[in-house]
Amino acid sequence: MVKVLMVGNDSSVKGGITSVITQMLSHDWVADGVEMKFIPTYIEANNFKKIIFFEKAYSKIKTEIKTNKPDVVHIHMSYKGSFTRKFLIHKLCRNNGIPDIIHLHGSEFKKWYDSSNQKKQKEIRTLLKEASAFIVLGEKWNKVIKEIEPTTNTVVVNNTVHIPEETVKWAEPLNILFLGVLIKRKGVSDLLKATKLLKDDLGNNKFKIIIAGSGAEEENLKNEFEELKIDDVVNFVGWTDGEKKQKLLRECQMLVLPSYNEGLPIAILEAMSYGMPIVATDVGDISSAVIDGDNGYLVDPGDVKQLTNAIKKLINIDEFTKLSVGSKSICYNNFSDSLYFKRLLDLYQARWCCNEK
């Protein structure tokens, strides 16, 4: 058995990283010859509680490394505070001769690196050089990391999703879904502005916008949608997960994600798994999943007119049907969970030694 210790967000934390961790923990690793153990290192709370939670987690990780001696430690990381916590865990692994796999999820990692001081940038490059393997979510992110530190042992492992038998069907009005955390970089304000233009052009019977999420921008967005007078076509349904999210995915026909920064969002893959066409911005590695004209449309971040026109194209049964078939096909061919878990298993079985780096 390969012993793997995985660390990352607690299940209570909202967002894509938690979704990835949940997927991984639900996999039958024993059948693959892997003994998987998970220790959460982060919760959403005030700074004091976050620090206490991490200190306790660090102590547990230290004990696990000393007593159980895992073959590899799989570390989920984004940026800022996440980097600081995971850099400490990386050093703990290195000092004890345990290989570590850093799994990057931070959509603004490059932006954060560029804005960091020289001391922090040196720490970041040190982590990139020393990590036994550094997982990136696509070829664009592979290029970004190599530009920061060319010696990084990057491994491209796209996010994945379980593909259900169901496929969404055309309906009127068309239910258009946004699924994610309500923060500025997700571009939800642009979606509301586009909704206003669509309503003025098409009326309020052709489509409905469903915003599933919560976050720091929620109050501002609700104020904006009231000012735009689009309450008859927009519905804020709050954060959704589990069966509630699956029900929502079955009931909607299109996903819109107008983000300014991303990796490869799980929300896009989840929507594609149900055969939804996608309208998204061409940022991060979204273009590896959304092929313009095949299963959706890619637009420039912040361009409300482009966003409006792309959504409008899909409020047409023939276009919807063609791109729906494309989404399901691309998901089967490129993002099935069987391919994903085989890739991870290969990494776990590689058994790098930190001292060789």
Side-chain angles (χ1 to χ4, degrees):
M1 294 285 281
V2 179
K3 293 189 287 188
V4 179
L5 173 62
M6 184 167 65
V7 301
N9 289 351
D10 182 76
S11 60
S12 63
V13 179
K14 296 168 181 155
I17 299 176
T18 303
S19 295
V20 171
I21 292 171
T22 300
Q23 284 178 334
M24 291 187 64
L25 292 177
S26 65
H27 180 67
D28 184 6
W29 287 109
V30 174
D32 291 333
V34 174
E35 178 188 306
M36 174 71 74
K37 183 167 185 176
F38 175 64
I39 298 177
T41 57
Y42 176 78
I43 56 169
E44 287 180 341
N46 61 48
N47 287 337
F48 178 74
K49 289 183 178 179
K50 287 178 184 176
I51 292 169
I52 296 300
F53 188 85
F54 175 70
E55 286 179 346
K56 290 180 178 178
Y58 185 84
S59 179
K60 291 177 183 176
I61 294 166
K62 190 173 183 179
T63 299
E64 185 70 15
I65 286 175
K66 295 288 187 182
T67 60
N68 199 33
K69 195 78 172 176
D71 295 302
V72 63
V73 177
H74 188 148
I75 302 171
H76 294 274
M77 184 186 82
S78 55
Y79 55 101
K80 291 184 178 179
S82 178
F83 168 82
T84 300
R85 292 187 296 273
K86 304 313 165 49
F87 188 65
L88 290 173
I89 296 170
H90 161 73
K91 285 300 184 184
L92 180 63
C93 292
R94 188 169 175 82
N95 290 340
N96 286 274
I98 305 293
D100 62 340
I101 297 170
I102 307 294
H103 197 150
L104 181 65
H105 302 273
S107 56
E108 296 191 314
F109 187 84
K110 178 62 163 61
K111 180 180 177 182
W112 170 67
Y113 172 81
D114 290 340
S115 65
S116 297
N117 59 39
Q118 289 185 354
K119 181 181 177 182
K120 181 61 68 175
Q121 287 187 348
K122 184 178 180 181
E123 284 186 353
I124 295 166
R125 291 194 302 273
T126 296
L127 176 66
L128 298 184
K129 283 189 289 188
E130 292 181 351
S132 301
F134 197 89
I135 294 177
V136 292
L137 301 182
E139 289 300 337
K140 286 185 178 179
W141 271 106
N142 187 41
K143 183 179 178 182
V144 166
I145 296 302
K146 288 290 192 179
E147 286 174 352
I148 295 173
E149 178 46 62
T151 66
T152 309
N153 183 24
T154 53
V155 182
V156 176
V157 181
N158 291 323
N159 281 337
T160 188
V161 67
H162 177 72
I163 303 173
E165 293 183 5
E166 302 100 315
T167 299
V168 297
K169 304 298 182 185
W170 170 265
E172 287 188 332
L174 207 69
N175 289 323
I176 301 169
L177 176 65
F178 169 87
L179 186 63
V181 182
L182 302 183
I183 52 179
K184 284 188 177 180
R185 74 170 178 84
K186 290 291 187 177
V188 185
S189 178
D190 295 338
L191 175 56
L192 295 181
K193 293 180 178 69
T195 301
K196 172 63 174 173
L197 296 177
L198 286 167
K199 180 186 172 184
D200 290 345
D201 186 18
L202 301 175
N204 60 2
N205 295 321
K206 291 286 188 180
F207 71 97
K208 300 292 180 185
I209 304 288
I210 298 168
I211 298 177
S214 61
E217 284 294 296
E218 186 169 356
E219 185 176 350
N220 291 338
L221 292 168
K222 287 181 176 178
N223 289 336
E224 184 175 359
F225 111 111
E226 288 177 0
E227 291 171 5
L228 291 170
K229 295 181 170 40
I230 52 176
D231 53 295
D232 54 340
V233 291
V234 176
N235 186 19
F236 285 81
V237 299
W239 185 258
T240 61
D241 53 18
E243 180 51 38
K244 184 180 178 183
K245 180 169 69 173
Q246 297 308 313
K247 182 175 185 292
L248 194 60
L249 287 165
R250 290 191 292 266
E251 293 173 349
C252 292
Q253 286 78 41
M254 182 199 316
L255 182 89
V256 178
L257 192 65
S259 301
Y260 285 73
N261 289 291
E262 285 291 355
L264 178 55
I266 288 291
I268 283 180
L269 301 184
E270 288 174 328
M272 286 172 57
S273 75
Y274 280 92
M276 284 192 206
I278 311 295
V279 174
T281 44
D282 189 5
V283 296
D285 270 292
I286 286 177
S287 61
S288 66
V290 181
I291 313 301
D292 197 67
D294 286 353
N295 70 317
Y297 296 109
L298 293 171
V299 301
D300 296 327
D303 193 324
V304 173
K305 187 174 180 181
Q306 269 192 18
L307 180 63
T308 304
N309 291 337
I311 296 171
K312 188 177 176 181
K313 284 182 187 178
L314 281 166
I315 306 179
N316 173 289
I317 187 169
D318 292 332
E319 192 70 1
F320 166 86
T321 301
K322 181 185 80 170
L323 271 62
S324 174
V325 171
S327 269
K328 199 83 171 185
S329 175
I330 290 170
C331 211
Y332 269 120
N333 292 333
N334 300 333
F335 301 102
S336 70
D337 49 9
S338 59
L339 295 173
Y340 178 79
F341 289 116
K342 184 182 184 304
R343 191 75 176 105
L344 289 179
L345 182 61
D346 289 343
L347 286 175
Y348 295 157
Q349 291 176 335
R351 307 281 189 97
W352 299 274
C353 178
C354 294
N355 296 324
E356 292 177 1
K357 294 228 14 122

